[in-house]
Amino acid sequence: MERYEKAFLAVCAAVLVIFLCALGYGSVAMGVYLPSHGGTIYCNAGQKLRKVLLKTPPFDHKGVQEIAPGKYRAVVIAKTWTFTPDEIDLPAGAEVKFVATSLDVIHGFFIVGTRVNMMLIPGQISEFTYRFAKPGEYLLICHEYCGRLHHTMSGKVVVK
Ligand code: CUA
């Protein structure tokens, strides 16, 4: 009986080591990480989130800006059922930091075929940095159920 116990413990230890190696490989070699929290937008009582947000940098200038040579920032606001802007144009190979939030309910921000995958929460700023190496058209979708026309909420990233 003890022999089986030892074998079972050895298998458990091996599985743990394999999982830790996979985690290390994913985060170091593949660069997989969670979206970061870019800040909070505070509203006082009686203030409308919409009015405060549209005056809060960087959301007062939506769209793509070049912040350094080869580095871009894409500022996006989600609201039922649109992304503004709904088209993001980037040169191939550029590094882009997506800075996004929601004006109303929780939305998703997922770029198909990439690791860009964020949840957009009203009042919270979500950030994710990604490099589009290959030119092409990438579909941006909302992947958090946000109401009747959730399935129509989309945009695109055009990499030339
Ligand atoms: Cu926005 Cu689903």
Side-chain angles (χ1 to χ4, degrees), residues 4-133:
Y4 292 120
E5 273 179 5
K6 274 185 183 161
F8 186 74
L9 284 173
V11 168
C12 290
V15 166
L16 266 180
V17 169
I18 290 167
F19 284 0
L20 280 174
C21 289
L23 195 65
Y25 180 76
S27 60
V28 178
M30 294 174 72
V32 177
Y33 58 91
L34 290 173
S36 51
H37 180 233
T40 305
I41 299 153
Y42 292 101
C43 269
N44 294 322
Q47 278 184 310
K48 288 232 158 65
L49 177 63
R50 176 185 188 81
K51 282 196 170 166
V52 175
L53 180 73
L54 295 177
K55 284 184 197 152
T56 306
F59 297 103
D60 50 348
H61 289 96
K62 295 181 288 272
V64 181
Q65 297 137 32
E66 187 167 14
I67 48 174
K71 292 195 175 189
Y72 294 80
R73 181 173 67 183
V75 178
V76 181
I77 296 179
K79 77 176 214 287
T80 47
W81 291 281
T82 54
F83 291 106
T84 310
D86 62 357
E87 183 179 327
I88 297 164
D89 295 303
L90 294 165
E95 186 181 286
V96 59
K97 181 189 202 176
F98 293 99
V99 183
T101 191
S102 165
L103 264 184
D104 39 36
V105 298
I106 292 178
H107 294 283
F109 189 99
F110 175 56
I111 301 174
V112 179
T114 72
R115 288 186 283 102
V116 183
N117 183 339
M118 305 192 285
M119 185 189 264
L120 308 182
I121 302 167
Q124 304 293 325
I125 303 168
S126 301
E127 294 182 346
F128 197 91
T129 303
Y130 189 75
R131 187 185 299 275
F132 289 89

Side-chain angles (χ1 to χ4, degrees), residues 79-81 106-108 142-147 150-151 153:
K79 77 176 214 287
T80 47
W81 291 281
I106 292 178
H107 294 283
C142 171
H143 64 322
E144 295 283 345
Y145 182 72
C146 57
H150 157 71
H151 60 286
M153 188 168 171

